[in-house]
Amino acid sequence: MDTGQQDSGEPHQLSRRSLGITLGTSLVLGSGGITALAVAFAAAGPPGTTTVATSFGKARISRAERQSRLSADAAAAGGHGGHGMSGGRSLQPVNMTYGDHLLVQLDVFNESDEDQMFSPGQLRLRGNSQPWLVVNRWNDLVPGLLAPGAKLRANISFLVPSDATAFTALFDDIASPGGAPIDLPLPAVAWRPGFLEADHA
């Protein structure tokens, strides 16, 4: 799939909303475990989920995968505990950080005749055990311009509560100022056994 982030060289007006989303997510955080999950997506077969219309084209979440941050041993050694997820799959740290990763694969299609700004920070998640939206912790795409006719795919990781059993994903369509965030359906969330951060304290 063409990543197609091109700058035409012409000046672009940035709204305060657009600028905040871009600056707030301009740092791409590296993590070996999450990167490995992103690579694994490529071999997971064809994506299957709902494609939703945006003001400039389409967007969809094509895959989602969840993994515990800590093993039971690491949680005990680090002073974490309790709050096991449904099914006893992972532990919620007691230091107020979330116990799971949820990695999603976001596809964005620019079907307009103009460059469109895109940042992974435009996608946010809410778990059903918490009332607030969470922004991404890691992604593999630097914010920039999406050229007319271009498509891109971003792998985006969120920290989520271990006791959440369902999620809502909202996409902020910054090409439509004042518009409400778009609800992007999530496919079935796969559970990957194991954990990502055995050394986390």
Side-chain angles (χ1 to χ4, degrees), residues 12-73:
H12 293 266
Q13 289 278 29
L14 297 183
S15 69
R16 186 177 300 175
R17 180 182 178 208
S18 305
L19 185 61
I21 288 173
T22 301
L23 294 180
T25 58
S26 60
L27 179 62
V28 179
L29 303 176
S31 170
I34 305 175
T35 302
L37 287 185
V39 171
F41 271 155
T49 189
T50 304
T51 301
V52 175
T54 67
S55 66
F56 59 86
K58 295 180 293 191
R60 69 182 178 192
I61 297 176
S62 49
R63 292 192 179 93
E65 186 168 284
R66 185 171 181 172
Q67 187 167 4
S68 180
R69 291 175 65 188
L70 306 174
S71 68
D73 291 342

Side-chain angles (χ1 to χ4, degrees), residues 58-198:
K58 295 180 293 191
R60 69 182 178 192
I61 297 176
S62 49
R63 292 192 179 93
E65 186 168 284
R66 185 171 181 172
Q67 187 167 4
S68 180
R69 291 175 65 188
L70 306 174
S71 68
D73 291 342
H80 307 285
H83 309 301
M85 184 185 147
S86 172
R89 296 190 298 197
S90 63
L91 298 173
Q92 178 84 13
V94 296
N95 63 358
M96 302 304 292
T97 60
Y98 291 154
D100 286 1
H101 289 279
L102 185 63
L103 180 69
V104 300
Q105 183 172 274
L106 175 67
D107 298 327
V108 178
F109 307 83
N110 182 8
E111 298 177 344
S112 74
D113 296 328
E114 299 179 352
D115 290 337
Q116 299 293 335
M117 269 189 52
F118 173 76
S119 165
Q122 291 170 237
L123 185 70
R124 293 168 292 162
L125 289 185
R126 177 187 284 123
N128 63 347
S129 66
Q130 301 286 355
W132 47 80
L133 290 163
V134 294
V135 297
N136 75 87
R137 175 205 196 207
W138 174 93
N139 64 80
D140 62 0
L141 191 71
V142 176
L145 293 175
L146 185 60
K151 307 171 186 177
L152 64 79
R153 171 167 289 170
N155 294 297
I156 307 172
S157 175
F158 299 84
L159 291 184
V160 296
S162 297
D163 57 355
T165 57
F167 297 94
T168 301
L170 294 178
F171 181 76
D172 198 352
D173 187 354
I174 59 178
S176 178
I182 299 170
D183 185 8
L184 292 187
L186 274 79
V189 178
W191 176 258
R192 181 180 289 267
F195 51 91
L196 288 178
E197 297 181 11

